[in-house]
Amino acid sequence: MGMRVAEVGVGELVKAGLSMEEAQEFKRILKAAVGGARGSDPSEVWCEVVARRVLSPSHPHGLHQLVFHSVYAEWDESTRGPPLYWFPSLYESKHTNLGRLMETYGPRLLGLSYKDPITSHSLFQKFSVQNPEVYWSMVLKELSKKHDNSLAVVWRDKGNDDSPVNQMTLKELREQVMLVANALDATFTKGDAIAIDMPMTVYAVIIYLAIVLAGFVVVSIADSFAAKEITTRLRVSKAKGIFTQDFIVRRGRKFPLYSRVVEAAPHKVILLPAIGKDVNVQLREQDLSWKDFLSRADHLPRPNYYSPVYQPIDAVTNILFSSGTTGDPKAIPWTQVSPIRSAADAWAQSNIQVGDVLCWPTNLGWMMGPFIIYASFLTGAALALYHGSPLDRGFGKFVQDAGVTILGTVPSLVKTWKNTGCMEGLDWTKIKSFASTGETSNVDDDLWLSSRAHYKPIIECCGGTELASSYIQGSMFQPQAFGAFSSTAMTTGFVILDENGVPYPDDQPCVGEVGLFPLIMGATDRLLNADHEEVYFKGMPIYKGMHLRKHGDIIKRTVGGYFVVQGRADDTMNLGGIKTSSVEIERVCDKADESILESAAISTAPLNGGPEMLVVFVVLKKGYNCEPDELKMKFSKAIQRNLNPLFKVSFVKIVPEFPRTASNKILRRVLRDQIKHELSVWSRI
C-alpha cells in the first residue's frame, strides 16, 4: 500500500518536482479538495481533485502520479475493480449522440425499465444485441449531417509548424475527389483493384474516396513495407495500379518509396511528389505523374463533377490485410457496410459530432486509416492530418493549432511522448476525449495522456480489421479506468470461455478466450485467400444456438465488470500448471525498475522437458545500464508479490528493440524461437 493522500507532505511534493513555495501552496489546495469531497471514498476524492483542477497539464508528471496513487492508496482492486479516473455527468450524457438517441427512443423501447442514459446504458446495449435491426434503423438516420461550407479537412506539412493550418471545405473536398474519379475512369477499367502505398496525406484521402466513389476497389498497403511485402499484396489483390510518392520525408531525410514500389513490379504507378509540385525521379514508361494523371480529366466539360457509382451492399470497397506473421497475410474485404459500422461505432462510443476535429495518426495500410475517414465524414467532423512524424513536437503543435477535439493514439506513441517530454508546454485542452487502440495500454502512460487535457476520458477500443470496428470499448456513460474497457460495442455480444470452451456467467470475474456472437453488421463473411469458416469458426463452441466466432483475444473481466486484454490466445503460458498471459507478466515487469522502457514475456519448455520456464526480454531506457541477473531478481520478486508466489523468472535478456509486425505488435513467436535456439547452443557447450 502506498502513501495515503492525507499523508502527502511538502517533502513528497518537492520530490515530485515542485519548488518549496509551490509545494506549500499545492498542499493547501489539495487539502481543501480532499476536505471538500462529498465523502471519503477515493473515487469521490479524485472527482473533487479533477473538478477543482488541482492538477494542471503544466505540473510535472511525478506530481500527477503522486496524487492519483495516494488518493487510491487504500483502494482494493480485488473487491472493487480497477481505480476510476473519469466519471460521466448526467447532463453531458444526455447531450451525447447515443444519449440523445436513448432519451428519444428509450422509454418506448424499454418501457418503465428506462431511466436515463447512464443508468440504462447496459440495458440499451443488450436491447441492441437482441434487436439489431431496430438499432440500425435509428442510427442510420443520424449519420452524416454536413453542409457544403463546413470544414472537412485540416492539415499541415512538417516544417511549417508556425504557419496557419491548411483547410478544405466539404465542397472543395468533393470537387477534388470527383476530379480524381474522372481521371480514374480514363485510366482504369470499372471494378479494378487499385492500391495506395503512401503516407496518409490529404491527397491519399482524396484518392481513397475517389476510388470508392467511382466503383473501384482500394488495396491498402502500409508505406513501411519492403518490396517483397508490396509484391505479395499486389499479387493477392490482383491490383491493376498503385498510387505512391517519390519519397517519404522523415526528420529532414528523404527515403525512397517509388523505387521500392517499382521493385514490386506493379502494372502501373501514379506518382505524387513528397515535396513541391513535380516528382524528382525518372518514371517507367507505363507510369504517370500525378499532374499527367489529373490532366486525363481535362477534356470533360465538368471535370469536377462525377455521378457516384452505386453498388450492391456486399460489393467490395477496400481490400485490407492482417499483420500476417507466417505465409501470406489474410486478405480482408470491406464491403459497402463496413464503413457504416466504423462510423456508427465512432458516433456512438467516441461521440464524434458535427464541428469536432478528429486526429488519429495512422496509415491507409491499416484499418484505422479507412476507419478515421468514415468516422469523420459520416459524423460531420473534420479530419486533421499532419504530414510528418507523430513522434515529434511538430505533431503536438499541430494538434494544438488545429483545435483537435478528439485525439486518437496507439500506446507506443503515448509512451514516446511521455518519455521524451516533447509535448511539454503545448495546449491540448480543447481535446474533449482521447481514443486508443492497436495494443495494450499502459496505466501510467494513460495517466500522462489524460492529464494533458485535465483528465478527459480515453476511449479504449479493441477489435479487428475483419470486424471493421471494435467489440469492446470505453464508454461516455460509465466511469473509466486506465487501460481498461467498460463496455461492449452496440449490437455486439460475446462470452468469455474457460479452458473447456464453456462460457463463464456474464457477471463473474474471470479470464478466458473471447467468443463473439456471429451476427455483427460490417464484419467479414469471406476472405479472399483463406477459408473464412476455418479461420473464424473452426473449433468454436455453440452457445444458445449460435456458432461463436473466434477473435483470438484472451480477456479478463474484473470485479465491477471492466475488461482488460491479457494478450492473444497464442500468447498464453502455463507456469507450474497455472495459466497466465504475457501481458499480465509484462505489466508487472514494466514497473519493477525505473530502467525498464518495455518488457516482453514468453515461456519455453527446457530442452530436456519439464515445466515451462519464464523468460523476460527487456528494452532499457536511454542512458541506463542493468545486469540481467539483477533484473531477474527484481522481476521474480515483483511477479511473486503481484501475481503468484509460485512464478519465477528463469532468464532475462536485454535487447536493443523487439521484433514487431508492421502494425507494431510484438512478435513473441520470434522471441520464443530465439530463446529456444540459444538454449540449444548453451546445451552443446
Side-chain angles (χ1 to χ4, degrees):
M1 189 184 292
M3 176 181 289
R4 288 159 53 225
V5 69
E7 295 165 355
V8 172
V10 170
E12 286 77 31
L13 295 170
V14 169
K15 265 189 213 159
L18 297 183
S19 68
M20 180 61 76
E21 197 177 323
E22 288 167 338
Q24 287 166 338
E25 175 63 6
F26 187 88
K27 187 173 186 303
R28 185 187 63 75
I29 294 166
L30 180 62
K31 190 179 175 187
V34 172
R38 275 188 287 185
S40 59
D41 188 81
S43 61
E44 290 172 329
V45 173
W46 178 251
C47 250
E48 192 66 21
V49 166
V50 172
R52 293 192 183 206
R53 301 242 165 132
V54 171
L55 290 160
S56 86
S58 61
H59 279 134
H61 180 55
L63 185 65
H64 289 270
Q65 289 172 311
L66 175 66
V67 175
F68 182 75
H69 292 300
S70 65
V71 165
Y72 280 103
E74 294 181 323
W75 183 269
D76 183 358
E77 283 200 43
S78 65
T79 58
R80 303 196 62 182
L84 307 167
Y85 72 94
W86 183 83
F87 301 84
S89 85
L90 188 56
Y91 174 80
E92 284 176 6
S93 76
K94 288 181 178 181
H95 289 80
T96 61
N97 295 326
L98 191 58
R100 281 201 309 272
L101 197 79
M102 281 193 263
E103 286 286 274
T104 306
Y105 298 104
R108 181 158 61 80
L109 298 174
L110 302 176
L112 294 174
S113 304
Y114 182 79
K115 299 288 183 287
D116 59 68
I118 293 176
T119 313
S120 307
H121 174 261
S122 294
L123 201 59
F124 193 74
Q125 195 281 332
K126 285 190 179 79
F127 174 87
S128 77
V129 176
Q130 289 154 3
N131 305 274
E133 70 292 344
V134 177
Y135 177 79
W136 286 113
S137 66
M138 295 185 298
V139 170
L140 288 173
K141 291 176 192 149
E142 301 289 332
L143 292 178
S144 194
K145 293 174 180 173
K146 289 191 84 159
H147 54 81
D148 274 6
N149 295 323
S150 60
L151 192 61
V153 188
V154 291
W155 76 96
R156 177 183 277 161
D157 295 322
K158 182 178 170 52
N160 297 344
D161 296 345
D162 295 321
S163 307
V165 295
N166 301 290
Q167 299 187 337
M168 190 181 279
T169 64
L170 184 61
K171 182 171 185 282
E172 290 164 341
L173 175 66
R174 189 188 299 118
E175 287 176 352
Q176 291 295 309
V177 169
M178 288 183 168
L179 173 64
V180 173
N182 280 314
L184 286 167
D185 273 357
T187 312
F188 296 99
T189 307
K190 273 286 177 263
D192 279 354
I194 304 163
I196 302 176
D197 182 351
M198 60 187 288
M200 194 165 172
T201 62
V202 65
Y203 299 106
V205 170
I206 288 166
I207 293 162
Y208 183 97
L209 291 169
I211 293 173
V212 176
L213 180 79
F216 299 96
V217 179
V218 178
V219 178
S220 291
I221 301 179
D223 62 7
S224 57
F225 280 139
K228 180 171 164 284
E229 298 285 352
I230 300 169
T231 305
T232 301
R233 286 156 175 77
L234 293 175
R235 170 176 55 78
V236 170
S237 65
K238 302 183 175 68
K240 296 295 188 288
I242 184 166
F243 285 85
T244 191
Q245 279 184 187
D246 46 7
F247 300 97
I248 293 176
V249 182
R250 283 202 190 104
R251 300 190 170 181
R253 287 179 62 198
K254 281 181 172 181
F255 295 89
L257 182 55
Y258 175 64
S259 58
R260 205 186 330 145
V261 167
V262 165
E263 208 184 312
H267 292 292
K268 184 185 285 294
V269 177
I270 294 149
L271 188 64
L272 288 83
I275 301 166
K277 296 194 172 173
D278 296 304
V279 293
N280 290 315
V281 290
Q282 185 65 44
L283 293 182
R284 299 182 309 174
E285 198 177 328
Q286 70 266 44
D287 297 341
L288 285 168
S289 71
W290 177 241
K291 201 186 277 183
D292 289 345
F293 166 73
L294 292 179
S295 72
R296 293 189 160 202
D298 284 352
H299 66 283
L300 296 169
R302 295 169 69 195
N304 292 103
Y305 175 78
Y306 191 91
S307 188
V309 174
Y310 289 92
Q311 303 264 52
I313 199 162
D314 60 351
V316 177
T317 59
N318 192 177
I319 299 168
L320 293 123
F321 296 88
S322 68
S323 309
T325 55
T326 54
D328 281 353
K330 294 193 297 284
I332 297 170
W334 272 22
T335 64
Q336 298 277 329
V337 186
S338 313
I340 296 169
R341 176 88 217 187
S342 296
D345 279 4
W347 178 89
Q349 299 299 133
S350 290
N351 191 40
I352 303 176
Q353 299 182 330
V354 175
D356 274 326
V357 180
L358 169 64
C359 182
W360 200 323
T362 185
N363 187 268
L364 287 171
W366 311 120
M367 72 157 281
M368 290 313 299
F371 180 96
I372 63 166
I373 289 177
Y374 294 122
S376 303
F377 300 143
L378 290 179
T379 60
L383 177 60
L385 301 164
Y386 182 66
H387 297 180
S389 168
L391 295 168
D392 302 334
R393 185 178 180 82
F395 170 77
K397 187 168 188 302
F398 169 68
V399 168
Q400 168 189 285
D401 297 351
V404 168
T405 58
I406 296 166
L407 177 62
T409 64
V410 292
S412 53
L413 199 52
V414 179
K415 189 179 285 295
T416 302
W417 294 340
K418 185 191 85 176
N419 289 342
T420 60
C422 66
M423 302 304 178
E424 292 306 315
L426 293 172
D427 182 357
W428 283 7
T429 54
K430 280 190 180 161
I431 293 171
K432 65 178 195 181
S433 68
F434 297 93
S436 179
T437 194
E439 49 192 341
T440 307
S441 288
N442 173 284
V443 170
D444 190 57
D445 295 344
D446 271 3
L447 174 71
W448 177 88
L449 182 66
S450 180
S451 73
R452 300 298 89 196
H454 296 295
Y455 290 97
K456 294 300 190 298
I458 302 169
I459 304 299
E460 300 276 350
C461 312
C462 180
T465 307
E466 74 285 357
L467 302 179
S469 189
S470 312
Y471 70 93
I472 47 172
Q473 299 167 320
S475 167
M476 296 285 190
F477 305 97
Q478 295 158 317
Q480 296 299 292
F482 291 125
F485 308 83
S486 64
S487 174
T488 310
M490 301 304 289
T491 74
T492 304
F494 72 91
V495 288
I496 300 176
L497 304 166
D498 69 15
E499 288 174 30
N500 302 310
V502 178
Y504 288 101
D506 281 347
D507 56 354
Q508 184 180 326
C510 57
V511 177
E513 184 174 349
V514 167
L516 294 171
F517 292 4
L519 187 65
I520 305 170
M521 194 183 96
T524 54
D525 59 3
R526 62 198 189 273
L527 293 168
L528 302 188
N529 61 344
D531 184 332
H532 190 271
E533 192 71 18
E534 191 173 318
V535 171
Y536 295 117
F537 290 94
K538 190 180 176 185
M540 293 298 284
I542 305 290
Y543 172 72
K544 292 188 176 175
M546 298 179 286
H547 192 177
L548 295 175
R549 180 177 176 131
K550 189 178 188 67
H551 185 69
D553 282 346
I554 299 288
I555 67 171
K556 172 183 182 178
R557 182 164 46 226
T558 70
V559 173
Y562 289 82
F563 302 106
V564 180
V565 176
Q566 301 276 277
R568 303 289 290 166
D570 51 10
D571 286 336
T572 55
M573 50 181 94
N574 187 327
L575 301 175
I578 298 162
K579 278 208 166 181
T580 187
S581 74
S582 302
V583 173
E584 207 163 18
I585 301 260
E586 288 156 12
R587 276 210 179 97
V588 173
C589 291
D590 284 351
K591 294 181 193 163
D593 191 84
E594 64 173 1
S595 66
I596 311 298
L597 180 64
E598 54 183 340
S599 61
I602 57 119
S603 67
T604 186
L607 292 172
N608 53 359
E612 288 184 20
M613 301 184 298
L614 175 57
V615 181
V616 182
F617 287 77
V618 173
V619 177
L620 297 174
K621 288 178 187 167
K622 259 189 189 159
Y624 280 89
N625 283 311
C626 271
E627 287 302 315
D629 282 349
E630 182 193 341
L631 289 177
K632 181 177 136 181
M633 193 173 67
K634 285 187 175 176
F635 288 164
S636 287
K637 275 187 182 166
I639 290 166
Q640 287 160 3
R641 189 171 61 248
N642 293 290
L643 288 179
N644 193 303
L646 301 176
F647 292 171
K648 75 173 195 325
V649 179
S650 298
F651 300 103
V652 168
K653 187 168 171 57
I654 296 169
V655 292
E657 60 184 4
F658 294 143
R660 294 179 182 271
T661 65
S663 61
N664 215 36
K665 293 180 173 70
I666 295 172
L667 281 166
R668 293 184 184 83
R669 176 182 55 77
V670 174
L671 296 175
R672 208 173 284 120
D673 292 346
Q674 195 180 318
I675 211 75
K676 275 180 187 165
H677 173 71
E678 290 187 17
L679 286 172
S680 69
V681 171
W682 292 338
S683 71
R684 293 196 295 271
I685 295 172

